Amino acid sequence: RLWITGFSLTKNRGELHTLDVETGAMSYVNEITARAIKWPNEVASIPRQQYVMNHHPTNSSSSTFASSNGEQLEDALLVTDGFLVPGKDKGGLYVVQNPTNSATERRVCLTGVTNLQGDIINGESDWFYHRAVWMDMTGDGRQ
């Protein structure tokens, strides 16, 4: 897939579209994601990895992921957001899981807590991000 970003000085939303290079079909992220990411800069795929979910026997609601021959994580993107332009300077780093899947798409802001409108209400603000690299910080082979 080829990802295309766009932004506007007058609209309160960003544009994240994808083009399937084999079929020519265009898709886009859902409206909630588009309103949260107001000035998308770079879009990068997060590497798929093998994980298996381990449930804790003492706490049924708690679980961890362990590298194994288990199930693969879903498609995900790392999106950098924001610019120096007033009104677009509260950017962030976002993980968009299952992009373009209207039923299961969801986004997570890695740089602060956002409300339903996508405004940062707790954490970092007045920052913008142009590029981010997903990497293995612990040296365990998982990114």
Side-chain angles (χ1 to χ4, degrees):
R1 289 192 284 186
L2 173 67
W3 283 94
I4 304 162
T5 64
F7 40 81
S8 170
L9 289 174
T10 58
K11 292 181 184 175
N12 200 20
R13 57 170 281 153
E15 302 289 335
L16 279 168
H17 301 276
T18 185
L19 172 69
D20 185 324
V21 294
E22 293 178 5
T23 66
M26 293 281 297
S27 301
Y28 51 89
V29 296
N30 68 31
E31 183 65 24
I32 294 170
T33 299
R35 281 185 288 152
I37 303 173
K38 295 176 177 37
W39 193 290
N41 290 303
E42 185 178 79
V43 176
S45 291
I46 294 176
R48 289 182 181 220
Q49 298 176 48
Q50 298 290 327
Y51 287 88
V52 70
M53 185 172 282
N54 297 321
H55 294 284
H56 295 284
T58 57
N59 185 352
S60 61
S61 65
S62 179
S63 58
T64 60
F65 291 95
S67 182
S68 178
N69 289 335
E71 206 173 294
Q72 231 181 19
L73 289 177
E74 294 296 323
D75 193 17
L77 300 173
L78 180 62
V79 182
T80 59
D81 174 49
F83 200 62
L84 189 59
V85 177
K88 310 294 183 181
D89 56 351
K90 292 181 182 1
L93 294 174
Y94 292 89
V95 172
V96 180
Q97 297 173 312
N98 302 316
T100 72
N101 183 325
S102 60
T104 61
E105 179 182 297
R106 88 180 184 110
R107 66 171 163 69
V108 177
C109 181
L110 301 177
T111 53
V113 178
T114 59
N115 63 18
L116 293 176
Q117 287 75 40
D119 300 321
I120 295 176
I121 57 174
N122 187 11
E124 304 275 336
S125 63
D126 296 330
W127 287 89
F128 51 93
Y129 303 85
H130 287 277
R131 184 157 196 260
V133 178
W134 196 263
M135 60 190 309
D136 179 3
M137 298 295 287
T138 61
D140 65 358
R142 298 184 335 196
Q143 292 187 359

